[in-house]
Amino acid sequence: MAQRSEWSRRKFLGTSALGILSLTACGGQPAAPQVQVQVPQEVIDAAAQFRGSSMGSLSQKLYSEAANAAFDRSLQAFAQATGTTIQNDLVQGDSGDMVAKMDAEVKAGNARDLAFMSDSRFVGQLHNLGDLTDLTDVVEEMRGLYGEPATEATNYCVFDGRWYAIPYHFIAAGMYLRKDWYQEKGIEIKPTYSWEELRDNALEVSDPAKRRFGWGITVNRSGDANGFIENVINAYGGAIADNTGQKVVLNSPETVEAVSFMGDIYTNPKYEPMRPPGIESWTDSSNNENWLAGIIGLTNNQYSIYADSKTKGNPVYNNTHPFNGAFGPAIDKPLAYGQSNSFVVFKGAKNPDLAKQVAKYMVSGSALLGVAKEAPCLVNPAWDKVWDSDPYYTSGDPAFAAIREQTRTPLPLTTSTGYSFPQPPSPGQQAVVAAYLLTDMMQAVIQGTRPADAVATAHQRMVQIFEQQGYRQ
């Protein structure tokens, strides 16, 4: 399939009113047979007025190629059943310029109608730029059908009491450890640990002679590193911004303590046996590869590595203990509430009403189930009643119970220093994370900068970005 920059294009032509679609995947690979995508008659009836029309869609690339293909199959099923045309483009969320590209398209009047993306990373920025349509009416209709969405969505998709994104599927925050390595050393398998426990356990289970490295978390530029660094800072009582999301507060004793803790892991010779070679330069795929190769004993990630190990029959799956994260001195429970991939409709969309129909169709039934089965535990229902719609979500994997519980986490979670998480959607905070200021700060520490100095420098760089977003400091 032809590539255009980091974009991958697939065009779907609706040619019939068939409500069921079964396909083979492109590239000669057989399609996953688990789910036959069905378009309910009520969906076909609701979309009857759009027959012969077309729309454009933009999709944040999932970490499972099979799940991307399943998403495509669901869209094509809708297109064929309703006689519409849907052109879908994939975009890499970690490309660094996704928001700028979408904003430019909106301002130029040639935006796609529909897109799905991480709500915690991108929706706030796009709303701040004035690019999104109010979708409150759609969400309220869906509440009547599917109950409540994941609690985190209320934080990231709602602005001034109005919904600007529709929760599509839930992505849990996850950590994973090798339970067989822990059991060999007599270390207790628990629902959660402190960050200090995880560090010490990682050292104990390490054996470089056997290519066993207990620590598998990088601080190099990547989404996983951003999540790790920010989580540790928050668990120690620090934060990027205050509870309004408008003022930078990074430079604090708590942040310096957290950065010192992390820096020690990557610079202290004591911990060298638990650090896999090259961890300082890992990208987002590196921990996946090393986990699936059986080399590392602990990592943080979306459930992509869990999904890969299960769907590909990797023996590491049966030796994986997934858990909801770690806590620190400022809070006695993990700051784990996940995120949703959510649908947005852009201002100036040429066919916004068709886009809304597609979004409502995609969040449940076989349209979602097909994607979920291709990415087990990575793609999960975002709506409460959808969890009960198929036995797969209740008994398809031991991890589902913990993931569903995460969707119901009472929010906010508050640290002893008074910071509440998740904080209000902050374009400044989202832009800071996207610019990799956190990973740059940690790289400076690894290269010899004092933690206090690295934090102070990062703070000033964050102030500049917040001011560019319109927040006076």
Side-chain angles (χ1 to χ4, degrees):
M1 192 167 291
Q3 295 290 322
R4 180 168 60 87
S5 184
E6 77 274 19
W7 308 79
S8 174
R9 172 160 289 184
R10 294 174 174 85
K11 189 172 184 179
F12 302 119
L13 298 177
T15 56
S16 72
L18 294 175
I20 300 177
L21 183 70
S22 180
L23 299 174
T24 57
C26 57
Q29 297 297 319
Q34 296 94 327
V35 176
Q36 191 175 46
V37 181
Q38 303 181 26
V39 184
Q41 187 60 47
E42 58 266 26
V43 172
I44 298 174
D45 293 342
Q49 60 184 305
F50 304 111
R51 182 168 293 276
S53 65
S54 63
M55 59 164 275
S57 173
L58 183 66
S59 304
Q60 184 173 323
K61 189 175 183 180
L62 301 171
Y63 289 106
S64 164
E65 290 299 331
N68 290 322
F71 179 87
D72 291 350
R73 289 197 294 274
S74 293
L75 281 181
Q76 187 172 1
F78 180 94
Q80 289 189 348
T82 60
T84 56
T85 300
I86 302 176
Q87 181 170 291
N88 184 50
D89 293 326
L90 293 178
V91 61
Q92 173 56 257
D94 293 320
S95 63
D97 57 359
M98 194 169 91
V99 170
K101 286 189 173 183
M102 288 187 285
D103 179 57
E105 290 183 353
V106 171
K107 300 298 193 289
N110 59 0
R112 284 97 169 157
D113 300 271
L114 182 72
F116 86 77
M117 66 197 68
S118 166
D119 58 7
S120 66
R121 295 178 62 187
F122 302 118
V123 173
Q125 293 183 75
L126 289 167
H127 174 264
N128 192 54
L129 292 165
D131 292 337
L132 303 182
T133 297
D134 187 329
L135 298 171
T136 305
D137 57 336
V138 181
V139 173
E140 290 305 321
E141 179 185 350
M142 293 172 66
R143 270 181 161 151
L145 295 171
Y146 307 126
E148 290 300 311
T151 53
E152 59 77 34
T154 304
N155 187 79
Y156 293 120
C157 301
V158 178
F159 302 86
D160 298 323
R162 309 293 295 177
W163 288 81
Y164 284 84
I166 301 167
Y168 168 38
H169 67 77
F170 181 76
I171 301 177
M175 293 194 72
Y176 314 90
L177 59 80
R178 283 290 299 265
K179 61 183 179 183
D180 53 333
W181 295 7
Y182 269 52
Q183 289 165 346
E184 286 178 14
K185 295 292 185 178
I187 302 172
E188 183 181 2
I189 304 296
K190 301 193 297 185
T192 189
Y193 303 81
S194 72
W195 281 111
E196 289 78 5
E197 281 183 290
L198 290 177
R199 176 200 59 194
D200 296 343
N201 292 344
L203 182 60
E204 187 170 351
V205 301
S206 294
D207 188 343
K210 295 181 179 179
R211 296 190 73 218
R212 287 187 179 186
F213 300 93
W215 188 263
I217 305 173
T218 189
V219 288
N220 191 41
R221 284 191 167 206
S222 60
D224 293 331
N226 274 335
F228 164 63
I229 297 165
E230 188 171 7
N231 191 285
V232 174
I233 289 172
N234 296 159
Y236 270 71
I240 291 174
D242 66 4
N243 286 338
T244 69
Q246 299 179 13
K247 182 176 177 58
V248 177
V249 295
L250 183 76
N251 195 355
S252 70
E254 292 81 12
T255 299
V256 173
E257 183 183 1
V259 171
S260 298
F261 165 76
M262 290 183 283
D264 193 47
I265 289 173
Y266 300 94
T267 59
N268 192 330
K270 173 182 177 180
Y271 299 116
E272 184 175 357
M274 74 184 195
R275 301 192 298 261
I279 191 172
E280 296 85 358
S281 59
W282 279 7
T283 63
D284 265 320
S285 63
S286 301
N287 66 331
N288 296 54
E289 294 161 358
N290 281 276
W291 180 265
L292 295 172
I295 294 171
I296 57 176
L298 172 77
T299 195
N300 66 317
N301 206 290
Q302 293 178 350
Y303 270 77
S304 54
I305 56 174
Y306 192 75
D308 275 354
S309 66
K310 182 174 184 177
T311 57
K312 296 176 181 177
N314 189 312
V316 77
Y317 169 74
N318 289 322
N319 289 315
T320 299
H321 172 56
F323 58 105
N324 282 341
F327 55 89
I331 191 166
D332 61 0
K333 63 185 67 174
L335 290 163
Y337 36 80
Q339 61 184 300
S340 292
N341 268 346
S342 297
F343 287 111
V344 299
V345 176
F346 292 111
K347 282 187 178 177
K350 297 176 178 61
N351 208 339
D353 291 334
L354 175 58
K356 293 175 184 178
Q357 292 294 331
V358 172
K360 289 190 288 186
Y361 152 76
M362 292 293 289
V363 304
S364 66
S366 58
L368 177 65
L369 187 63
V371 184
K373 283 194 172 183
E374 294 291 5
C377 301
L378 174 62
V379 173
N380 307 287
W383 297 82
D384 192 47
K385 291 183 180 179
V386 178
W387 277 100
D388 298 315
S389 66
D390 191 275
Y392 173 74
Y393 300 127
T394 53
S395 57
D397 192 278
F400 279 144
I403 294 171
R404 186 175 188 180
E405 192 62 30
Q406 198 172 125
T407 70
R408 297 165 164 172
T409 301
L411 299 175
L413 299 170
T414 303
T415 64
S416 60
T417 49
Y419 294 119
S420 296
F421 300 98
Q423 294 175 311
S426 167
Q429 190 268 355
Q430 291 178 2
V432 159
V433 173
Y436 294 108
L437 268 59
L438 293 174
T439 57
D440 288 356
M441 175 182 67
M442 290 308 307
Q443 288 297 321
V445 172
I446 290 174
Q447 293 165 14
T449 302
R450 292 175 59 248
D453 294 336
V455 170
T457 298
H459 180 101
Q460 289 306 313
R461 292 180 66 193
M462 291 179 183
V463 166
Q464 293 173 357
I465 289 179
F466 269 65
E467 289 179 342
Q468 291 168 3
Q469 295 288 332
Y471 297 125
R472 297 184 62 185
Q473 299 298 296

